[in-house]
Amino acid sequence: MPVTPLADRAVPAVGTLPEPCVLLKLGEVVLKGGNRQQFERMLQSNIRRALRELDTPVRLWQRDGVIVIRVADDAAGPAAASAADKIAGRTRDIMGIARVCRAVRVAKDPEVTVAAARPDRERALLAGHQRDRRDKRFPVTSAELATRIGARVQQEYGYPVNLKHPDTALFVEVDQSEVFVYTEGYRGQGGLPVGMSGRGLVLMSGGIDSPVAAYRMMRRGLRCDFLHFSGMPLTGPESVYKAYGLMHQLDRFQGGSRLFVVAFGKAQQRLASSGASRLQIVAQRRLMLKTGEVLAGRLGGAALVTGDSLGQVSSQTLTNLAALDDAVGLPILRPLIGCDKVEIMAEARRIRTLALSELPDQDCCTLLTPRHVETRARIDDLRRIEARLDAADLAEELAGLAQEYRPDHA
């Protein structure tokens, strides 16, 4: 798909008819100081990657705090409008964008602007409007332009314009060489462009919490790979299917995701036979983290990410979390540490991972679980268990056997 680099700020001339386009309003990125350009370049790269999926030729350029996406010259009429709608839909999932506005671009002329502001009969009626005249050389004032647009709405539909309590707001931005007309638009993901904060490895169980943790870290600019431990050969492959589906769903926020699956059942049996007893859950989680640390080192990851929430289950007491931290040298990021289950489920529903997470499967963490789980694990006891198992070598072996999966966008 041909895409004009955003560094090229040359603006193409506006045709005689309103031209469909998409405006991307930047959020936190504009608050950056001297390194703001690095954030913008990363965001631009992520936009290009995402739009390749649509197979629609576009042109992009950037002004201060706004990225404009224009459908290619050979597209016109309903085809161009449909393409712009798809672009707007796709860019809503890109981290670093605060708002996505489906707009039309017109020549810098008052009469053309007023004509373009006439609401499409297939859309909801516009009951209010807002205008931004960034170029003060425009031949009419903001108030005059608002009056003309309001009069056109009244003329077309016979309804009054209500500026204080509009049902829908119409925005008109007069820029240096053109005018953009759009409604309020859609809320974007906000946050930072994925990749600005480095790379991490998410331990994804297939439950509700870890996909939400991954989403939150992506929103803070972390590019995430995923590691899933299945109970195979003691269980079936159902948890792998869920993990793949969750990775595929989360991939729309970053692109290029990778899922690594480790068959963990035999390692769990070895832990049980080593006398782990009440420490079985904490010991196997330490082994998972050690395996994740080895794999992250091979992938260039600088942190591990988990869905831990303080006190949610017995293995997530403060003492046990400290024992887990002791297992590895990499930092363990826990973005859900202060959230309750209701909050986590609400976010999972919003990012559309909840339904997948709730599908039935046999989680490896439920295998060989002792009747009573230790809530205050002693690190020395765990280290003795690991010494009997040669846990470091076992983690290397498990990481080497990990099977890689990538999302299929075909």
Side-chain angles (χ1 to χ4, degrees), residues 93-135:
D93 290 330
I94 298 175
M95 302 298 188
I97 297 171
R99 185 159 293 277
V100 178
C101 302
R102 170 66 171 83
V104 294
R105 174 174 172 259
V106 298
K108 191 174 175 182
D109 177 270
E111 291 305 317
V112 174
T113 300
V114 172
R118 180 177 63 86
D120 190 328
R121 296 181 185 276
E122 296 180 358
R123 299 177 181 268
L125 298 182
L126 302 178
H129 56 272
Q130 178 172 322
R131 66 280 173 214
D132 182 6
R133 191 168 60 100
R134 289 198 291 265
D135 185 354

Side-chain angles (χ1 to χ4, degrees), residues 18-227:
E19 178 184 284
C21 64
V22 177
L23 303 184
L24 306 180
K25 307 282 186 165
L26 308 190
E28 189 175 348
V29 172
V30 304
L31 302 178
K32 301 302 176 183
N35 61 347
R36 173 175 167 179
Q37 288 187 348
Q38 298 178 32
F39 286 82
E40 291 179 341
R41 283 195 294 269
M42 182 64 73
L43 177 57
Q44 294 161 9
S45 176
N46 293 346
I47 292 170
R48 289 194 293 269
R49 179 200 293 262
L51 293 184
R52 289 190 191 104
E53 301 171 11
L54 302 182
D55 196 28
T56 299
V58 297
R59 291 196 63 186
L60 298 88
W61 68 92
Q62 181 169 347
R63 294 183 180 83
D64 189 36
V66 180
I67 293 174
V68 183
I69 303 180
R70 171 177 173 258
V71 181
D73 294 331
D74 56 352
S82 176
D85 289 341
K86 291 178 181 178
I87 292 167
R90 182 64 187 91
T91 52
R92 290 174 67 182
D93 290 330
I94 298 175
M95 302 298 188
I97 297 171
R99 185 159 293 277
V100 178
C101 302
R102 170 66 171 83
V104 294
R105 174 174 172 259
V106 298
K108 191 174 175 182
D109 177 270
E111 291 305 317
V112 174
T113 300
V114 172
R118 180 177 63 86
D120 190 328
R121 296 181 185 276
E122 296 180 358
R123 299 177 181 268
L125 298 182
L126 302 178
H129 56 272
Q130 178 172 322
R131 66 280 173 214
D132 182 6
R133 191 168 60 100
R134 289 198 291 265
D135 185 354
K136 303 306 178 183
R137 297 169 298 177
F138 197 57
V140 298
T141 67
S142 297
E144 291 170 343
L145 184 60
T147 300
R148 292 192 189 186
I149 293 173
R152 179 60 64 93
V153 172
Q154 289 178 310
Q155 177 183 348
E156 291 291 331
Y157 295 101
Y159 291 112
V161 174
N162 187 333
L163 296 178
K164 291 185 178 180
H165 304 289
D167 293 328
T168 303
L170 177 64
F171 295 80
V172 179
E173 292 188 7
V174 180
D175 215 323
Q176 295 181 358
S177 58
E178 70 266 293
V179 176
F180 296 99
V181 182
Y182 58 94
T183 54
E184 187 174 10
Y186 310 101
R187 179 182 175 184
Q189 298 300 323
L192 301 177
V194 168
M196 277 308 302
S197 300
R199 182 180 292 273
L201 182 64
V202 180
L203 274 64
M204 190 159 68
S205 66
I208 296 172
D209 301 340
S210 49
V212 176
Y215 167 81
R216 288 197 172 186
M217 294 315 304
M218 290 178 191
R219 195 168 180 270
R220 298 315 305 156
L222 193 71
R223 177 163 291 282
C224 294
D225 295 310
F226 303 92
L227 173 60

